[in-house]
Amino acid sequence: MAFQNLIIANARKLGLFVFIATALVFSMFFLTHNQINANERQVMIDQLESVLASVHYDNDLLGTALQLNAIAATGVADSLPYYIAKQTGKIVAIVFTVVAPDGYSGPIKLLIGIKPDGEILAVRVIAHQETPGLGDGIDIKKSTWITQFNQQSLQQTSRSNWKVKKDGGTFDQMTGATITPRAVVKAIKTLLIYYGEHKSRLLGQYNKQKESQHAAL
């Protein structure tokens, strides 16, 4: 009998220990999960603001996220979001997520900020696998190469000139690296063409989203 009581007492202790350990694990998960989400949100906001230059906006950028027809716009199957920046109700900028699928070492993910008229505010590379010391010059942390697209547009530079200089175009390549900048230039050009052809629908989609949200309230 005493042996059975000892087993029961030990089982209760073990059960209590497991309960406490599980509770601690779940508590840590929820605490860190919330912090991780907050950190990821802040990183995304910082990235978006990096291509908005001096544009002033007063809406929640992440709350405007809409989905781009990625296959038509960039030739890749990823679901790519774009964001609308507004100031006192007026659209002042759009930020597109774009993937250049033909980088030297793999896909290159970009953020492209443009004005409603199609002029580029700024472009930033947010993910790539390009060769250090060569293709990684597309990263603003490595060089200012990416800034040559500031204030560019299809009106500023004709479609036929949206190529690197080695291919007879307007834009600089990098010493020892042509494939990487060629992929970036092509992706930006493709996005600008797509935006020009679908501007009304892309901006109208935001208004429809807001109308749906108000209707649901």
Side-chain angles (χ1 to χ4, degrees):
M1 191 68 178
F3 181 69
Q4 288 180 337
N5 289 340
L6 179 61
I7 292 176
I8 293 172
N10 287 337
R12 287 175 177 171
K13 290 178 181 178
L14 179 61
L16 179 61
F17 173 79
V18 171
F19 174 78
I20 293 172
T22 302
L24 287 172
V25 169
F26 274 102
S27 296
M28 289 300 296
F29 169 78
F30 283 114
L31 288 172
T32 56
H33 179 72
N34 290 339
Q35 186 59 51
I36 289 171
N37 284 343
N39 291 343
E40 289 177 347
R41 178 182 174 84
Q42 189 57 52
V43 167
M44 192 65 220
I45 289 173
D46 291 343
Q47 289 177 337
L48 292 173
E49 290 185 343
S50 72
V51 297
L52 287 174
S54 59
V55 170
H56 298 288
Y57 65 94
D58 56 17
N59 65 312
D60 174 16
L61 279 179
L62 297 185
T64 71
L66 297 163
Q67 296 304 309
L68 184 69
N69 184 341
I71 294 177
T74 64
V76 298
D78 296 11
S79 180
L80 301 173
Y82 68 99
Y83 308 85
I84 306 289
K86 301 187 79 175
Q87 175 73 20
T88 61
K90 180 182 179 181
I91 295 176
V92 292
I94 310 95
V95 181
F96 290 95
T97 310
V98 171
V99 174
D102 44 1
Y104 182 78
S105 300
I108 301 168
K109 193 171 185 179
L110 310 163
L111 283 180
I112 304 174
I114 65 173
K115 295 179 181 179
D117 65 3
E119 179 183 307
I120 294 175
L121 291 164
V123 180
R124 291 291 181 271
V125 173
I126 57 174
H128 72 87
Q129 304 171 53
E130 301 306 282
T131 307
L134 291 174
D136 68 341
I138 57 175
D139 191 331
I140 191 65
K141 296 175 183 176
K142 301 293 184 178
S143 81
T144 59
W145 179 86
I146 201 76
T147 63
Q148 68 182 307
F149 301 105
N150 295 3
Q151 299 180 320
Q152 281 286 346
S153 68
L154 293 179
Q155 291 71 42
Q156 176 79 11
T157 300
S158 65
R159 293 188 186 189
S160 61
N161 287 324
W162 271 83
K163 295 179 286 190
V164 295
K165 289 180 178 178
K166 185 175 182 179
D167 297 333
T170 297
F171 301 99
D172 293 330
Q173 56 261 5
M174 301 171 199
T175 303
T178 302
I179 294 176
T180 301
R182 182 183 287 147
V184 172
V185 172
K186 178 183 174 183
I188 298 171
K189 173 187 175 182
T190 302
L191 185 276
L192 291 179
I193 292 173
Y194 183 82
Y195 174 74
E197 294 175 348
H198 301 276
K199 175 181 175 179
S200 296
R201 182 180 61 79
L202 291 169
L203 301 186
Q205 189 174 338
Y206 172 77
N207 293 326
K208 289 180 181 178
Q209 181 194 62
K210 298 303 291 183
E211 289 172 2
S212 299
Q213 290 174 347
H214 286 308
L217 294 177

